[in-house]
Amino acid sequence: MEPEKKYTVIELAELVGVPRTTINDWLSRYAAYIDFVMQGKRRVYPESSAAVLKEISALRNSGMTSADIEAELAKRHPLRAEPELQEPPQTTSVPSSSEEKNTAGATAGADTPPPGTENEFQLIARRQSEELGKLIGDTFRDMAQRMEELERLNRAQHRRGILWMGGAALLLILPLLGTLLAYRTYRQTLLFSRENTELKQKAETTNHQLQELQRQSVELIAGSEQFRANIALLEKQLKAQKETFEKNIGTIKHNFEKASAAHQATLAAEKEKHAAALKMKEAELALEKEKFASERLKFLRDIERMSSDNENIVNDLKRQLGEKAREGKRGEKHENIPEKKAEMPPPAADTPAGI
């Protein structure tokens, strides 16, 4: 298991992203929530302290004051336990004769503090500074609570004043409301009387309209008999027109069926005619195909014959060229032989004939 990493003040400033002076201020102000250990004469801080400092930075960036930050840390983190001072062990052994001889030297150096007192003084000073910081924090918290209480009382008093002002305004408004209600009642009475007069006029107009409607209904009843007679005549005419229309429809249907049958017969004849013409065309096409095939075969045979003739001609030409070439070589040889004989010297007179 790896040991927990420890940070110095400079490393904490780089980790949190704030200046070193700000880190020192936070370490002294919020010391009750930040752990540390001593390495020699230097303080180092664990991961938990770095997390608390990051949290303080986030709260500061959100706009909270120091008192609010301390109150928030008190909610989230327990107070750090104060380290106990370890007193140096006291020896109760009886001094020896050599020690009695050196009492003068010991009394001479009694004014110099022992080696561990410097750390004790630092711890005492740190504890006092932490207590002082805690006291200041408590004072600030009390002040914040008192300010909140004063603000709450001020809001309550403000609400009370608003209620009193509302009551006084209500007392002043009530007479005005009564006057307004009386005026509205008077106006409604006038409106009701005017509407009553208008309703009477409308009733008279309605009576005249009813009388006119009664007269028109009598006229309608008198004219309904004529209307019925006209309807009977119209039904009779419609019936006659329907019979004529059905008769014409039957005639048109019969003519259409007759024309359709004739048209079907004509189509069948045309179809047979076209089928016969198509067969003739197919026979002609077959003859043309056979003719084309025979001509093509003849053409291919002519091409083969011509190619064989060309080959024979080429072979004859090659043979003639070969013969001419051989004849030319023979002529050159015959021409060269006399020249050589002429160049040879004549034989000597004393040479034997056999030689």
Side-chain angles (χ1 to χ4, degrees):
M1 182 177 179
E2 296 181 359
E4 186 179 6
K5 186 176 181 181
K6 303 294 190 299
Y7 298 93
T8 61
V9 177
I10 297 174
E11 291 175 346
L12 286 174
E14 293 177 355
L15 182 64
V16 180
V18 296
R20 182 178 177 181
T21 55
T22 305
I23 288 291
N24 288 327
D25 184 25
W26 290 352
L27 290 175
S28 61
R29 182 174 296 178
Y30 309 109
Y33 308 99
I34 300 173
D35 294 329
F36 66 90
V37 293
M38 297 297 297
Q39 284 186 356
K41 295 183 180 181
R42 185 177 63 173
R43 291 185 183 185
V44 291
Y45 300 87
E47 291 282 352
S48 58
S49 300
V52 173
L53 289 171
K54 288 180 181 179
E55 192 173 348
I56 292 168
S57 177
L59 294 173
R60 176 71 69 178
N61 292 331
S62 65
M64 296 179 68
T65 61
S66 299
D68 295 335
I69 291 173
E70 190 166 359
E72 190 67 25
L73 290 176
K75 293 177 184 177
R76 299 181 183 180
H77 304 283
L79 291 175
R80 182 175 58 83
E82 295 291 338
E84 297 181 357
L85 294 176
Q86 295 181 358
E87 297 181 355
Q90 298 178 357
T91 56
T92 56
S93 60
V94 179
S96 61
S97 59
S98 61
E99 291 176 354
E100 289 177 357
K101 290 179 182 178
N102 295 328
T103 49
T107 53
D111 294 335
T112 60
T117 54
E118 186 177 356
N119 290 333
E120 293 177 3
F121 289 152
Q122 289 178 356
L123 291 173
I124 291 168
R126 182 165 56 81
R127 178 180 290 178
Q128 288 178 355
S129 64
E130 290 173 357
E131 290 178 356
L132 182 62
K134 186 177 179 181
L135 182 61
I136 293 171
D138 293 338
T139 305
F140 278 122
R141 279 196 294 274
D142 294 338
M143 288 175 65
Q145 291 176 359
R146 289 176 185 174
M147 289 175 68
E148 290 177 358
E149 185 69 22
L150 288 173
E151 288 179 0
R152 187 176 60 78
L153 292 173
N154 189 12
R155 287 195 294 269
Q157 222 167 13
H158 183 65
R159 285 197 297 270
R160 239 185 259 112
I162 291 172
L163 289 174
W164 279 105
M165 289 177 66
L170 186 62
L171 291 175
L172 291 173
I173 290 169
L174 282 175
L176 295 175
L177 288 174
T179 306
L180 182 62
L181 287 172
Y183 177 70
R184 286 189 66 183
T185 304
Y186 175 70
R187 284 193 63 185
Q188 287 178 357
T189 305
L190 289 177
L191 290 173
F192 287 153
S193 62
R194 188 180 299 171
E195 289 176 356
N196 193 10
T197 305
E198 291 177 355
L199 286 173
K200 287 180 180 179
Q201 292 176 358
K202 286 181 180 180
E204 292 177 359
T205 305
T206 305
N207 289 328
H208 288 300
Q209 290 177 355
L210 285 173
Q211 291 175 2
E212 184 67 21
L213 286 173
Q214 287 177 358
R215 186 181 61 80
Q216 290 177 0
S217 64
V218 172
E219 293 178 355
L220 288 171
I221 290 169
S224 62
E225 294 178 357
Q226 184 67 27
F227 181 72
R228 289 194 188 95
N230 292 332
I231 287 174
L233 180 61
L234 183 62
E235 288 178 351
K236 186 176 180 182
Q237 291 176 356
L238 287 173
K239 187 176 181 181
Q241 288 179 0
K242 184 178 179 181
E243 290 176 356
T244 305
F245 181 72
E246 288 177 354
K247 185 177 179 181
N248 293 332
I249 288 288
T251 304
I252 292 169
K253 187 177 181 181
H254 178 70
N255 294 332
F256 178 76
E257 288 177 353
K258 187 177 179 181
S260 177
H263 184 66
Q264 291 290 336
T266 306
L267 286 176
E270 291 289 334
K271 188 175 180 181
E272 290 177 356
K273 184 178 179 181
H274 284 298
L278 183 62
K279 287 181 180 179
M280 291 177 66
K281 291 289 183 184
E282 288 177 353
E284 291 177 359
L285 183 62
L287 291 174
E288 290 292 332
K289 285 182 178 180
E290 290 177 359
K291 185 178 179 181
F292 177 75
S294 61
E295 289 179 356
R296 182 181 178 186
L297 182 61
K298 182 180 179 182
F299 180 72
L300 291 173
R301 287 175 179 175
D302 292 339
I303 289 173
E304 289 177 358
R305 182 175 55 77
M306 290 174 66
S307 63
S308 62
D309 293 341
N310 289 332
E311 288 178 0
N312 294 329
I313 291 168
V314 169
N315 292 327
D316 292 338
L317 289 174
K318 287 181 179 180
R319 183 174 54 74
Q320 291 175 7
L321 288 174
E323 290 177 356
K324 286 181 179 181
R326 286 193 294 273
E327 289 176 359
K329 288 180 180 180
R330 288 175 186 172
E332 288 177 358
K333 287 180 180 180
H334 287 299
E335 289 176 359
N336 291 331
I337 290 169
E339 290 178 359
K340 289 180 180 179
K341 287 181 179 181
E343 290 176 358
M344 291 177 62
D350 55 355
T351 304
I355 299 172

